[in-house]
Amino acid sequence: MHSIAQTATAPSTLPEQAITASLTAEIMHDPDDGQVTLVASSQGNQGDLQVVTVDQMLARVTEARTQLDQIEHLAKVFQAQTTLAAVLAEHGARMEEWNPDTAPSDLRDKFVAAVQVIDGQIVVVVPLGQDPLLRAAVVAELISDVKAPA
C-alpha cells in the first residue's frame, strides 16, 4: 500500500491572465492612385496599419488563430476551475494537491485523483500541476459518487 505525502490545500483564487487577439484586414483603394491594396492592423486603434502581401496576411491570421486558441483554452480553464470550486463548496469538500514526484514510480504517471471521507468531510487528493480541465471532470465525478456521512 502506498501512502500519500506532501499535500497542500489547493489555492482558491485564479491567477490574473490576459490574452489579446486583434487583427483587421481590409482591401483598400489608394486615394492617390486608385491602386487596390491589402492592409492589416493588429492594434485596436490601427496605429500599425500597413500594406501587406497575401503571405504576410496569412501569417498574421495564423498568429491570431493561435491567440484565439489560447483565449478559448483560458475560458475553458476558468469554467473548469469555477465549476470545481462550486462542486467542492456544494459538498463541503476540500481538495489537496499532492506532489506526484514523491510517489513510487508505478503510481507517478497513473494517479489522477483519490477521494476519502475523513471526519465527515470529503477530501479529494489530486496531483500537483494537473490539467485543470481533467481535474474538474474527475473531481466532480468522484464527489458525485461519495456521500459524506451526516
Side-chain angles (χ1 to χ4, degrees):
M1 177 174 224
H2 301 290
S3 63
I4 296 176
Q6 295 185 357
T7 61
T9 301
S12 60
T13 59
L14 298 169
E16 289 187 21
Q17 298 179 46
I19 302 169
T20 302
S22 178
L23 177 61
T24 300
E26 190 173 342
I27 296 174
M28 296 182 71
H29 295 270
D30 187 295
D32 296 328
D33 63 14
Q35 184 177 351
V36 178
T37 58
L38 180 63
V39 296
S41 173
S42 58
Q43 294 178 354
N45 65 1
Q46 295 195 341
D48 65 339
L49 185 69
Q50 59 184 261
V51 175
V52 294
T53 66
V54 171
D55 287 342
Q56 289 170 325
M57 180 63 78
L58 294 176
R60 287 180 177 215
V61 168
T62 298
E63 181 181 329
R65 188 169 287 122
T66 299
Q67 291 167 320
L68 289 171
D69 289 344
Q70 292 169 351
I71 290 169
E72 180 181 21
H73 181 73
L74 181 69
K76 288 178 179 180
V77 167
F78 177 81
Q79 179 183 34
Q81 291 179 333
T82 55
T83 299
L84 176 59
V87 167
L88 291 170
E90 177 183 341
H91 294 280
R94 79 173 193 262
M95 184 177 70
E96 296 184 359
E97 290 183 311
W98 170 53
N99 184 349
D101 293 341
T102 65
S105 60
D106 62 328
L107 282 182
R108 198 169 292 144
D109 297 329
K110 297 174 187 163
F111 179 70
V112 178
V115 65
Q116 187 170 1
V117 178
I118 300 173
D119 296 328
Q121 183 181 35
I122 298 172
V123 178
V124 182
V125 179
V126 294
L128 182 68
Q130 183 178 44
D131 176 85
L133 303 178
L134 173 62
R135 177 176 289 178
V138 169
V139 170
E141 186 173 330
L142 283 174
I143 286 179
S144 71
D145 291 341
V146 173
K147 302 289 183 227

